[in-house]
Amino acid sequence: SNWPRRLCPRWGVVAMAPSKEPQRESMGSGTPHSNRTGNESTLKQVGSKDSTGQAYGGSEATSNQNDWRQGLESLDDNVLLWFRRRNTTTLQGALAFVPWVVQQAYFDGALQEGNIVIHRGQGAVVFSDASGFTALTERLAKKSNGAELLSRCLTAFFTPLIYLINAYHGDVIKFSGDALTVYFPDVDDTKSPKYNRIVPPHGTYGLPDLGPMATAVLRASACCIEIHKRLHQFDTGVDGVCLCLHIGVGCGQVSILQVGGIVPPETHVPRFEYIIAGSPLEQISIAEPLAKNGETCLSPQAWEYVHDCVVEGRALEERPDFHMLDKMDENKYTFPTIKHAALENDNRAEFQFGLSELNIIRQFIPSAVFKQIEGGTLTYVNEMRNISVIFINGSGLDVMSEKGANKAQDLMAAVQLACYAHEGTLNKFLIDDKGMLFLLVFGLPPLVHTDDPTRAVLACFDMTKVFRRHEVVGRFGVTTGRSYCGVCGSAKRMEYTVLGDSVNLSARLMANAPPLGILCDENTKERLSGEIQINPLAPIKVKGKANPINIFQPERTEPPAQIGLGPGGKVRFPWYDRPYGGGTANGLITPETLQQNVQQLCSVRAWAGIKHVQSMLGGDYNKDAHRVNMTIALGEPVATAPPGSPFSTGGVVVIDGTAGLGKIELAEYIVMHAASRLRMLPIFGTMGPRPGGSILLAVELLRSTLGVYRTVHPEVPADDCEALMQVVPPGLSGKVPILREALLEQGSADIPAVAKKKTGETLDGALEVIMGLLSALSKQTAIVIVLQFESGTSLFPKTLEADKTTFWKAIAKLTDFVQKERPRSATEGNSKPITMVILSKDSDRQHPAVKAAVASNSLIELTGFTEENSLEYMSNYLNVPEQLITQPLRQFVFKVTLGNALYIRETMDQLQESKHIVVTRNGSDPSSWTLDCKDMDKINISTWQHTSMVGGTVCLLESLDPLEAAVLKMSTCFSGPFTLPDLGASTCSRWADATHFDLLRLFKAIRKLVEASIIETVDVPNGAGGTPTPNVPLMDAPQRWAPTITQHFQTRNVLIRAVGSSMVLEAQRKSVKRQALVDRALSRELPARMDALELKRKAQHIPWYYEQAFRRM
């Protein structure tokens, strides 16, 4: 698009207008203001970073406080107006996520950083629980538009409910699924400037004022009565399901706490939770279960304030001290007059957040939800999806005390760390009579993984240590299933929550779990990886289930008895016991399967990876080295590596590439060839993909080194701790205690932030001891050290950043050691080299190890197979001659997999399973075999979500920012190239009041997708209009082309296109195409018509009746 120059250069000014780095602002007492929409407030928001670390305007923020003032003076009024409108709209949507009491606390100066208790007061607390939502969710979960229908039901129900609560001066503090916790503060309205001094705050003229506390309880009671009158047996319109409320009311001292402050992996903004605590919560936990549908029960404390104002309902024989509320004593009070007085005296809007507090608001909103609010697409977060849910109960902590509040903050921060380390979401933190309740969810965008159930259980293991360390009794329940995930509430007050049978079951399992125990359901058990073993327990009866349910107790899988070289000369690779790194479609892997993968993959003769490895090892690939019972024997080498090779003189080999390209298969081939032919004994160490893996790295290095020692010196004890004490160099005996502890723990580490010092000391000590042992071993045998960093399914670099840094620091120390050993070996005439093989993704080219590999031509950068390589690999995998694989099948597999070996295996498995290809082997003669391809045009790749190929792609697309995800989904609607205006036609049409900044935001999203190789730039197709030009990188087109060029794009990746297209509804697809066609027609026809119209307007026009009159003259 030919955007006006006066706007485009301003973009750089906007980028220079940010506020401070993302941290809590100084929150001193402020002046109430609800209309902060001036230029200064607007520009602060322009410069604030979004959750990708970018400024709202699209560039990196700066901390210079004067930049935004300078930018303000130079910005065009249209630019300011655009940002003001956008941020005002964002503010209006975001305000619904923050209760009134939190906003009041900010202006009172209580939201200062480090302040945990932000409000102390008293008042009435109401807990309203709805019946019928579980049945409603279960029915709608089976429908394709179930999320949309459920969202409508929730909005229709909660909108009048929240209106009534606000009208009576109530404040919704928390949504607990389909339940609400509401706070009615004891506000003294007689001191309000709105008070008319004629009608008391309770609303009945002539009666004395009851006082703030009694008025608060009276308002809560009247509110409950009207709620029942208006919403009892609420008809949802879905299969006869009706919603009912049963309510409990209490009163007393109340505290509001803000806890947390840890930054989630997908954003830079710290995440806080607010909670309500106090004696009223204990009261309502008793009162609410006593009430039946359509009833309200008051605690003795609440009844004491209003017993003269209301009429009591049915008697409670089991709890005579609690009282049922029937109706108001209408001789004194009516709920309409009480509501009217509350509305007349309500001045909370004066303490409402403005634009300058937008960065404060977003700290209480999930980042994905805030992005949707910014984009005006909040309804998109409402969906039915498969998630893993953790309910945690923590008891033994009084948060009302100062010490208890501090401990709650420490516990919350530790739980956040454990959750975020596994890329989960902490959705809720509540307090009730049983203690603290945490609700954690795994599988919410953008943190979606194929192994979310495993991540949830592993997080529970970490959190049991957290609760034990804080001396709090914790109980954990984990379930997996399809649930509603979306906003719950109304435009005035809402929260992002999860609803469904699976969520309820998680709470039931939590209640039945033993102290510091974990229970999971059958769905979770079926989806766990080999890292976790399951102990079945006796079925239990739970509320809401007619039959007993099966429950299970998860435990960490015991570490393998052997790593590396073991008794009898057998090699046990560490990835044999991991559920990642070239696994099969179901995520599991066996030694036999992996050995078969090595044979099939390394037999691809023209593969650049195997050719590079063979050039360093010498000799051809030999399948016999990968027999199941292959053993390694000591002795003289039966072959020699080429001169100058790292396997001849020692050095570093780096194998770099993404998952599935063959890193592990090459490493296994290297180890077995080097061990069987060159007599190099293997040592292993791996890190990832789970957090806190430095102890695992230390333990594996120690155990495999001790395994080599036992092979060379059979007298070394079989027990690792005894062996370590015997062989450790004398100068390093002080390292033995901490290493012994690590060996006994077998690599089980606490979460990173808690055990950082311990894990660092363990790894450093292990490296010193290992290098000492290697110095001694290198005089007797050659050594090959294999070190692997596995990213697994983690989506955000920040998740494993600390572990990756630790890994490469360890590599640097070992590289320095290996480089020093090379000249020493040459000087002493020692022909027993030490070679280090590193497996990683996106290796830092400036790291010493990578530099050493580059210098010795031993850096292997793996990419996908060529089409010829893919054909040979398909032939090996199917065990059929190449000529049987038809051209359509060959092209389909290559286009879908892009030559990724793992994806090829998964594709062939799926095609065989669905009978799209059928191999018939008649006899032993391959010439009589056949391979039939059927219905290739009916293959639906998007249904293969259990595979690493499709499941990983789904997770990648879910991790995109909302606008980027929308662009990708729209791009799949076009079979050929498309342009920016084509996409803008559906979101920000230039013919429908859109601005250039709207198009710039869209263009920025396209640019990010191009940089991520998800969308490609293509040449302007013939006949598309404009001047055909070469394919120019984004933003790099020469100025002389700017007025005539229209950049074209296309989603060519078949896999991404198939998965992205499956996320688009047919109605949306038709709408995108229709809008693009209309935009193209307008672009082609409208300018000329507008020009003609302008010329017509300029031409002199004489009305007909004047013309006739002139003629008669």
Side-chain angles (χ1 to χ4, degrees):
S1 299
N2 186 16
W3 295 314
R5 285 193 171 189
R6 66 183 184 87
L7 286 183
C8 293
R10 297 292 191 193
W11 193 252
V13 177
V14 173
M16 296 173 59
S19 58
K20 292 183 178 180
E21 281 295 320
Q23 58 187 359
R24 305 211 80 184
E25 296 178 0
S26 177
M27 301 178 195
S29 59
T31 303
H33 55 287
S34 57
N35 296 313
R36 293 198 177 195
T37 57
N39 292 344
E40 187 169 309
S41 298
T42 299
L43 197 57
K44 285 183 179 180
Q45 295 309 316
V46 170
S48 300
K49 288 185 178 181
D50 65 11
S51 53
T52 63
Q54 298 292 321
Y56 288 157
S59 300
E60 291 186 0
T62 174
S63 59
N64 190 331
Q65 289 296 300
N66 294 322
D67 280 351
W68 65 266
R69 300 182 189 277
Q70 298 170 0
L72 174 62
E73 297 174 357
S74 57
L75 281 176
D76 189 279
D77 289 341
N78 292 332
V79 177
L80 285 174
L81 180 62
W82 186 89
F83 279 106
R84 190 178 300 120
R85 286 177 176 173
R86 179 173 177 236
N87 289 329
T88 300
T89 302
T90 301
L91 175 67
Q92 291 170 352
L95 279 174
F97 287 83
V98 185
W100 292 106
V101 67
V102 174
Q103 301 180 56
Q104 175 72 56
Y106 172 80
F107 294 113
D108 289 342
L111 266 184
Q112 294 178 357
E113 186 173 0
N115 197 15
I116 299 172
V117 180
I118 62 175
H119 171 82
R120 292 190 190 275
Q122 59 180 4
V125 177
V126 172
F127 185 76
S128 168
D129 192 12
S131 300
F133 267 114
T134 301
L136 180 65
T137 305
E138 288 180 346
R139 283 172 170 79
L140 294 180
K142 301 173 184 177
K143 299 185 178 182
S144 59
N145 61 339
E148 181 181 357
L149 295 176
L150 182 56
S151 176
R152 290 178 185 173
C153 291
L154 290 171
T155 302
F157 179 73
F158 279 107
T159 296
L161 176 60
I162 291 173
Y163 165 76
L164 292 175
I165 292 170
N166 283 334
Y168 284 93
H169 210 286
D171 191 5
V172 178
I173 303 299
K174 276 292 180 182
F175 289 73
S176 308
D178 52 13
L180 299 180
T181 303
V182 186
Y183 177 39
F184 290 81
D186 64 339
V187 179
D188 188 355
D189 286 339
T190 61
K191 298 180 180 179
S192 170
K194 288 189 172 185
Y195 181 56
N196 60 20
R197 304 187 183 280
I198 298 175
V199 180
H202 54 66
T204 302
Y205 177 77
L207 292 181
D209 181 16
L210 298 175
M213 188 63 173
T215 302
V217 180
L218 182 66
R219 287 173 174 172
S221 303
C223 181
C224 295
I225 291 173
E226 186 170 0
I227 285 172
H228 287 313
K229 285 185 177 294
R230 297 187 183 278
L231 296 176
H232 185 56
Q233 292 294 333
F234 180 85
D235 185 8
T236 63
V238 178
D239 299 339
V241 176
C242 292
L243 304 179
C244 303
L245 291 168
H246 48 283
I247 304 174
V249 181
C251 68
Q253 294 290 329
V254 167
S255 293
I256 307 291
L257 288 70
Q258 65 162 357
V259 291
I262 305 302
V263 179
E266 78 277 13
T267 180
H268 75 287
V269 180
R271 184 78 167 88
F272 285 86
E273 284 284 335
Y274 46 83
I275 54 174
I276 182 171
S279 58
L281 276 78
E282 299 177 11
Q283 300 168 28
I284 59 177
S285 67
I286 302 172
E288 181 266 331
L290 294 174
K292 297 179 181 179
N293 286 337
E295 293 183 336
T296 298
C297 181
L298 273 65
S299 71
Q301 294 85 349
W303 183 257
E304 183 66 26
Y305 284 102
V306 296
H307 65 276
D308 291 332
C309 310
V310 300
V311 176
E312 186 174 5
R314 64 182 177 88
L316 296 171
E317 296 180 0
E318 65 273 28
R319 289 302 300 261
D321 51 335
F322 282 74
H323 304 269
M324 301 302 298
L325 179 63
D326 184 26
K327 61 182 180 179
M328 304 301 300
D329 184 351
E330 295 179 356
N331 293 323
K332 300 177 182 179
Y333 307 98
T334 63
F335 63 79
T337 56
I338 295 172
K339 179 171 67 174
H340 178 76
L343 286 169
E344 285 291 312
N345 295 310
D346 191 352
N347 65 341
R348 290 179 296 183
E350 298 178 7
F351 296 90
Q352 183 171 293
F353 281 150
L355 279 177
S356 59
E357 287 80 43
L358 195 54
N359 280 340
I360 305 300
I361 301 174
R362 69 184 304 176
Q363 296 175 116
F364 299 102
I365 305 176
S367 64
V369 177
F370 188 84
K371 291 178 185 178
Q372 298 285 11
I373 296 172
E374 283 187 305
T377 54
L378 185 58
T379 56
Y380 289 5
V381 304
N382 303 326
E383 54 189 339
M384 296 287 185
R385 64 168 50 245
N386 289 313
I387 56 174
S388 293
V389 178
I390 306 174
F391 254 110
I392 309 171
N393 170 252
S395 57
L397 188 61
D398 178 17
V399 299
M400 290 295 288
S401 65
E402 183 177 351
K403 181 179 178 181
N406 290 328
K407 202 167 184 180
Q409 161 61 22
D410 294 341
L411 182 64
M412 174 64 170
V415 169
Q416 280 184 312
L417 281 170
C419 177
Y420 297 158
H422 293 277
E423 291 195 343
T425 302
L426 199 155
N427 184 256
K428 291 283 186 296
F429 180 32
L430 310 168
I431 291 181
D432 63 8
D433 62 311
K434 299 179 182 65
M436 296 168 290
L437 286 176
F438 298 85
L439 174 59
L440 284 67
V441 186
F442 287 76
L444 293 179
L447 302 173
V448 180
H449 314 86
T450 54
D451 59 346
D452 276 317
T454 298
R455 288 173 175 268
V457 174
L458 291 175
C460 287
F461 292 150
D462 288 341
M463 286 183 287
T464 56
K465 299 177 182 179
V466 169
F467 277 73
R468 184 181 293 111
R469 187 172 60 252
H470 285 82
E471 299 178 346
V472 176
V473 178
R475 292 175 170 84
F476 303 79
V478 187
T479 57
T480 299
R482 190 168 176 81
S483 303
Y484 170 79
C485 309
V487 292
C488 181
S490 72
K492 293 295 183 183
R493 183 72 177 92
M494 67 179 73
E495 280 189 6
Y496 184 79
T497 191
V498 291
L499 298 172
D501 180 63
S502 174
V503 181
N504 295 340
L505 181 59
S506 176
R508 310 288 182 244
L509 296 186
M510 172 198 70
N512 285 274
L516 295 176
I518 306 168
L519 296 181
C520 70
D521 68 338
E522 193 160 8
N523 281 343
T524 303
K525 187 261 294 187
E526 295 296 332
R527 292 166 172 78
L528 294 178
S529 70
E531 297 165 272
I532 300 166
Q533 64 183 20
I534 290 294
N535 299 322
L537 302 178
I540 61 172
K541 283 280 293 180
V542 298
K543 180 182 177 182
K545 296 289 184 181
N547 300 318
I549 62 165
N550 296 323
I551 61 171
F552 305 87
Q553 185 178 44
E555 295 179 355
R556 286 187 185 272
T557 300
E558 288 293 323
Q562 171 196 342
I563 289 290
L565 199 57
K570 289 188 176 181
V571 179
R572 181 78 179 183
F573 292 89
W575 42 80
Y576 284 0
D577 305 290
R578 303 280 189 272
Y580 50 86
T584 56
N586 60 3
L588 302 176
I589 193 167
T590 62
E592 294 76 19
T593 300
L594 190 48
Q595 289 169 354
Q596 187 178 24
N597 290 346
V598 174
Q599 294 174 359
Q600 294 166 344
L601 189 58
C602 294
S603 296
V604 179
R605 297 179 298 274
W607 179 29
I610 192 65
K611 291 170 69 176
H612 197 157
V613 168
Q614 288 173 348
S615 69
M616 292 186 290
L617 290 173
D620 296 328
Y621 171 71
N622 183 7
K623 288 186 177 181
D624 292 338
H626 302 281
R627 298 193 310 270
V628 175
N629 297 319
M630 182 67 181
T631 59
I632 305 303
L634 288 175
E636 292 299 319
V638 297
T640 58
S645 164
F647 296 95
S648 173
T649 59
V652 179
V653 177
V654 177
I655 306 178
D656 187 277
T658 56
L661 293 180
K663 295 193 299 291
I664 285 178
E665 288 82 355
L666 282 179
E668 187 163 341
Y669 165 59
I670 288 172
V671 168
M672 296 308 296
H673 182 97
S676 60
R677 307 287 293 171
L678 308 180
R679 302 307 185 199
M680 301 180 74
L681 302 187
I683 292 174
F684 299 98
T686 64
M687 278 189 74
R690 309 307 178 195
S694 61
I695 287 185
L696 176 65
L697 175 63
V699 167
E700 288 188 354
L701 284 170
L702 279 172
R703 293 181 64 198
S704 55
T705 302
L706 293 173
V708 172
Y709 245 95
R710 292 189 191 95
T711 302
V712 178
H713 303 284
E715 69 277 7
V716 174
D719 181 80
D720 287 332
C721 294
E722 294 180 11
L724 178 63
M725 296 178 67
Q726 179 174 320
V727 303
V728 66
L732 298 173
S733 57
K735 307 291 183 181
V736 170
I738 192 170
L739 298 182
R740 187 175 184 275
E741 181 182 353
L743 289 170
L744 291 174
E745 291 180 359
Q746 296 288 289
S748 175
D750 210 335
I751 60 175
V754 176
K756 186 175 181 180
K757 181 178 179 181
K758 175 184 174 182
T759 56
E761 291 177 357
T762 301
L763 182 57
D764 290 342
L767 290 174
E768 289 186 48
V769 170
I770 289 164
M771 288 186 287
L773 296 176
L774 288 176
S775 291
L777 279 173
S778 63
K779 298 176 182 177
Q780 301 166 294
T781 181
I783 301 292
V784 56
I785 308 171
V786 180
L787 297 161
Q788 178 200 22
F789 187 87
E790 175 63 47
S791 298
T793 58
S794 295
L795 296 166
F796 294 90
K798 186 165 56 176
T799 303
L800 296 174
E801 185 177 0
D803 284 348
K804 195 170 185 179
T805 300
T806 300
F807 177 79
W808 285 104
K809 284 183 178 178
I811 293 292
K813 292 181 180 180
L814 290 172
T815 301
D816 186 59
F817 168 78
V818 170
Q819 299 285 48
K820 289 179 180 178
E821 285 292 309
R822 294 181 65 184
R824 188 177 69 82
S825 300
T827 302
E828 297 177 3
N830 185 359
S831 61
K832 297 179 172 54
I834 299 178
T835 304
M836 185 164 63
V837 179
I838 304 168
L839 314 180
S840 69
K841 180 179 74 171
D842 300 327
S843 303
D844 180 8
R845 295 301 185 266
Q846 300 304 313
H847 190 277
V850 182
K851 285 185 175 181
V854 172
S856 60
N857 193 29
S858 55
L859 171 62
I860 305 174
E861 297 180 272
L862 296 180
T863 57
F865 283 154
T866 63
E867 188 168 352
E868 291 73 23
N869 294 158
S870 298
L871 173 62
E872 185 176 357
Y873 185 52
M874 291 165 61
S875 171
N876 293 343
Y877 189 72
L878 294 175
N879 192 24
V880 297
E882 290 184 16
Q883 57 268 25
L884 291 184
I885 301 176
T886 63
Q887 185 71 13
L889 175 61
R890 179 191 315 177
Q891 292 179 346
F892 172 81
V893 173
F894 182 71
K895 287 181 179 179
V896 170
T897 65
L898 296 181
N900 184 296
L902 171 60
Y903 294 176
I904 291 175
R905 294 196 296 271
E906 291 181 333
T907 301
M908 303 311 295
D909 289 342
Q910 295 305 306
L911 293 178
Q912 290 184 90
E913 183 179 325
S914 59
K915 305 300 182 182
H916 284 294
I917 60 173
V918 178
V919 178
T920 304
R921 297 180 176 86
N922 297 316
S924 57
D925 183 11
S927 62
S928 62
W929 295 355
T930 60
L931 188 153
D932 296 327
C933 296
K934 303 176 181 178
D935 302 325
M936 296 293 290
D937 57 329
K938 296 181 181 179
I939 297 172
N940 186 1
I941 303 172
S942 62
T943 60
W944 303 350
Q945 294 200 13
H946 57 288
T947 65
S948 298
M949 177 177 70
V950 177
T953 304
V954 170
C955 298
L956 170 66
L957 302 189
E958 293 275 20
S959 69
L960 296 173
D961 275 353
L963 186 57
E964 294 168 20
V967 167
L968 173 64
K969 292 173 184 177
M970 287 190 292
S971 74
T972 63
C973 300
F974 300 95
S975 58
F978 60 89
T979 64
L980 175 64
D982 288 338
L983 300 184
S986 297
T987 58
C988 51
S989 174
R990 48 188 163 172
W991 314 108
D993 198 32
T995 67
H996 295 303
F997 275 163
D998 291 315
L999 289 172
L1000 279 172
R1001 290 180 64 243
L1002 196 63
F1003 182 68
K1004 178 187 173 186
I1006 296 175
R1007 183 174 64 180
K1008 286 189 174 181
L1009 293 175
V1010 170
E1011 291 171 352
S1013 300
I1014 295 175
I1015 287 177
E1016 302 175 35
T1017 58
V1018 296
D1019 293 340
V1020 178
N1022 293 329
T1027 304
T1029 57
N1031 186 10
V1032 183
L1034 289 178
M1035 302 299 286
D1036 290 340
Q1039 274 298 321
R1040 65 179 182 275
W1041 289 348
T1044 57
I1045 187 174
T1046 300
Q1047 189 91 52
H1048 282 69
F1049 311 91
Q1050 190 171 0
T1051 305
R1052 288 176 168 175
N1053 187 303
V1054 175
L1055 177 59
I1056 291 177
R1057 186 180 188 85
V1059 174
S1061 179
S1062 69
M1063 298 179 175
V1064 183
L1065 299 177
E1066 186 60 32
Q1068 294 173 327
R1069 192 186 321 278
K1070 291 180 179 178
S1071 175
V1072 170
K1073 290 182 178 180
R1074 182 171 58 250
Q1075 296 293 342
L1077 289 173
V1078 170
D1079 183 87
R1080 292 179 182 181
L1082 289 174
S1083 300
R1084 184 174 58 252
E1085 305 290 343
L1086 189 59
R1089 293 192 180 187
M1090 294 297 290
D1091 291 342
L1093 181 61
E1094 184 66 22
L1095 291 174
K1096 187 176 180 180
R1097 286 176 178 173
K1098 291 180 179 180
Q1100 186 177 14
H1101 173 64
I1102 301 175
W1104 175 82
Y1105 50 86
Y1106 282 129
E1107 184 177 353
Q1108 295 299 318
F1110 287 143
R1111 288 179 178 176
R1112 289 195 297 267
M1113 291 177 62

